[in-house]
């Protein structure tokens, strides 16, 4: 049993965990989750995990709070079952946007998530495309951040003639990250100057840095939540002369009426990954899904073997 890999899944994204297990070539570790009438949760590990290398897969998705508690309880159960090492695998990190104290009397909740994971017993964390890179610094345990850009860029090259494309950052905050896509695809970039008042999720595009006239615009973002930024940017780019607008994003949060907005909009298509489960009713023709399960499987194997992870996404 010593050094054996055990991959466990919470209830958030079992299909993702199953694919990771298939790539790694191991059976998923059996667990049992019970939700009592008082809304308490019990998690039982149904196999021997003593002295094993355990990986718990649980992205942040609805219901977010239930998923976080289930993850913490699972990690604690593994700790008390004498797992040798526990890695929390969070394809989409919870509360990643709450990474700074930019208003009075608020929580830096991403730091709180880090503290909770460590307290529960996680020895390390594996995640993908954090909203802000400083979240890694909130931990006192190793954090490996995978990048979806190589997989998404390969998909774009395989499915599109990119000759007349321009990559667009939906706001100034995304400008740095878009450079990785531009270098891989050898494409020019533009930036939408967006302003947002409070937390109303109604951003306003006020200016454009760069040129999109006569070009096919590809908006790049780390996540699509309510779709407000995407819809505003799409209309703004078309008004500035873009002949079409598409989008590529890592995390398809797609909360509220986001899918309906996308379906009714002039946005031609949107490419996303499977870090978050996409319900069947959200799988409209405009949305293309690229799987990153193979990348996570490679990272899990590398962590287990002690080999390099960075080689997976150079």
């Amino acid at each position: 049993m010593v050094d054996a890999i055990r991959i466990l899944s919470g209830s958030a994204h079992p299909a993702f965990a199953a694919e990771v297990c298939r790539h790694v070539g191991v059976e998923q570790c059996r667990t049992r989750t019970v939700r009592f009438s008082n809304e308490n949760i019990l998690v039982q590990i149904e196999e021997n995990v003593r002295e094993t290398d355990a990986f718990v897969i649980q992205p942040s998705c609805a219901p977010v709070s239930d998923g976080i508690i289930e993850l913490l309880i699972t990690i604690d159960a593994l700790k008390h079952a004498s797992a040798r090492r526990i890695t929390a695998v969070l394809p989409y990190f919870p509360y990643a946007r709450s990474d700074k104290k930019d208003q009075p009397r608020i929580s830096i909740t991403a730091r709180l998530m880090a503290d909770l994971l460590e307290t529960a017993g996680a020895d390390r964390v594996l995640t993908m495309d954090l909203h802000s890179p400083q979240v890694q610094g909130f931990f006192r345990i190793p954090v490996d951040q995978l990048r979806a850009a190589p997989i998404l860029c390969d998909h774009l090259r395989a499915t599109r003639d990119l000759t007349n494309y321009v990559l667009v950052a939906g706001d100034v905050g995304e400008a740095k990250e878009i450079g990785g896509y531009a270098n891989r695809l050898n494409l020019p970039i533009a930036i939408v100057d967006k302003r947002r008042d409070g937390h109303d999720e109604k951003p306003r595009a006020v200016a454009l840095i760069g040129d999109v006239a006569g070009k096919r615009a590809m908006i790049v973002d780390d996540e699509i939540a309510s779709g407000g930024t995407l819809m505003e940017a799409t209309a703004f780019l078309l008004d500035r002369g873009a002949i079409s607008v598409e989008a590529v994003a890592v995390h398809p949060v797609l909360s509220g009426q986001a899918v309906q907005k996308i379906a009714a909009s002039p946005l031609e298509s949107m490419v996303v990954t499977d870090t978050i489960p996409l319900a069947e009713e959200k799988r409209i023709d405009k949305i293309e899904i690229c799987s990153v399960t193979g990348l996570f499987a490679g990272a899990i194997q590398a962590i287990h073997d002690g080999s390099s992870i960075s080689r997976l996404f150079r």
Side-chain angles (χ1 to χ4, degrees):
M1 290 295 295
V2 177
D3 285 338
I5 291 182
R6 288 289 183 269
I7 298 178
L8 303 84
S9 174
S11 59
H13 201 350
F16 188 96
E19 276 299 295
V20 169
C21 287
R22 185 179 67 81
H23 284 292
V24 175
V26 299
E27 292 291 326
Q28 185 171 312
C29 182
R30 298 190 307 277
T31 62
R32 183 171 68 100
T33 301
V34 179
R35 287 174 170 79
F36 298 104
S37 59
N38 62 358
E39 299 188 5
N40 286 189
I41 297 174
L42 178 146
V43 176
Q44 182 178 24
I45 316 301
E46 296 191 310
E47 297 181 27
N48 181 14
V49 294
R50 186 178 296 274
E51 295 301 320
T52 61
D53 198 5
F55 296 82
V56 187
I57 300 176
Q58 182 85 322
S60 177
C61 58
V64 173
S65 297
D66 284 0
I68 293 169
I69 294 298
E70 183 185 17
L71 172 62
L72 297 175
I73 293 173
T74 303
I75 292 171
D76 189 62
L78 286 166
K79 179 180 179 181
H80 290 284
S82 299
R84 180 176 58 81
R85 181 173 62 179
I86 304 166
T87 301
V89 182
L90 305 166
Y92 178 55
F93 191 84
Y95 288 94
R97 285 185 165 187
S98 300
D99 58 358
K100 56 189 173 298
K101 194 172 186 294
D102 54 358
Q103 295 184 55
R105 300 172 296 280
I106 65 169
S107 167
I108 305 177
T109 319
R111 172 59 189 269
L112 175 61
M113 294 299 107
D115 290 343
L116 289 171
L117 287 166
E118 290 183 50
T119 301
D123 295 298
R124 63 187 304 134
V125 170
L126 175 62
T127 188
M128 173 169 274
D129 284 271
L130 292 166
H131 186 66
S132 300
Q134 66 260 29
V135 172
Q136 284 182 284
F138 294 167
F139 287 87
R140 288 173 292 273
I141 58 176
V143 177
D144 294 302
Q145 179 186 198
L146 301 179
R147 297 287 187 177
I151 291 174
L152 291 171
C153 287
D154 286 348
H155 176 82
L156 293 175
R157 275 192 293 262
T159 57
R160 291 159 174 78
D161 178 1
L162 299 175
T163 305
N164 195 38
Y165 274 75
V166 56
L167 300 177
V168 180
D171 56 41
V172 175
E174 192 64 29
K176 185 176 181 180
E177 293 299 319
I178 201 175
Y181 290 82
N183 290 337
R184 289 179 179 278
L185 298 174
N186 194 27
L187 291 175
I189 66 173
I191 303 169
V192 176
D193 182 6
K194 180 196 72 176
R195 309 292 168 85
R196 187 192 300 273
D197 299 320
H199 302 286
D200 58 7
E201 296 190 344
K202 295 179 181 179
R204 295 177 296 109
V206 297
L208 179 68
I209 303 167
D211 182 25
V212 299
K215 295 183 177 294
R216 297 178 67 86
M218 176 70 72
I219 299 171
V220 179
D221 210 338
D222 64 320
E223 67 177 71
I224 303 296
S226 68
T229 295
L230 181 60
M231 296 301 97
E232 177 73 11
T234 298
F236 190 74
L237 293 170
L238 291 172
D239 286 344
R240 294 303 186 277
I243 58 177
S244 67
V245 180
E246 299 172 68
V248 58
V250 180
H251 307 299
V253 180
L254 301 178
S255 56
Q257 298 297 306
V259 173
Q260 290 85 339
K261 291 177 186 176
I262 292 168
S265 77
L267 185 76
E268 283 197 359
S269 68
M270 183 172 73
V271 181
V272 298
T273 77
D274 56 352
T275 57
I276 299 173
L278 204 60
E280 200 62 41
E281 62 271 17
K282 292 185 177 182
R283 294 173 179 259
I284 61 174
D285 291 341
K286 285 187 178 183
I287 298 178
E288 305 169 32
I289 302 174
C290 284
S291 179
V292 292
T293 53
L295 183 57
F296 272 89
I300 287 172
Q301 193 67 61
I303 290 170
H304 179 66
D305 296 341
S307 56
S308 172
I309 290 181
S310 59
R311 65 181 171 79
L312 297 174
F313 50 96
R314 284 174 181 167

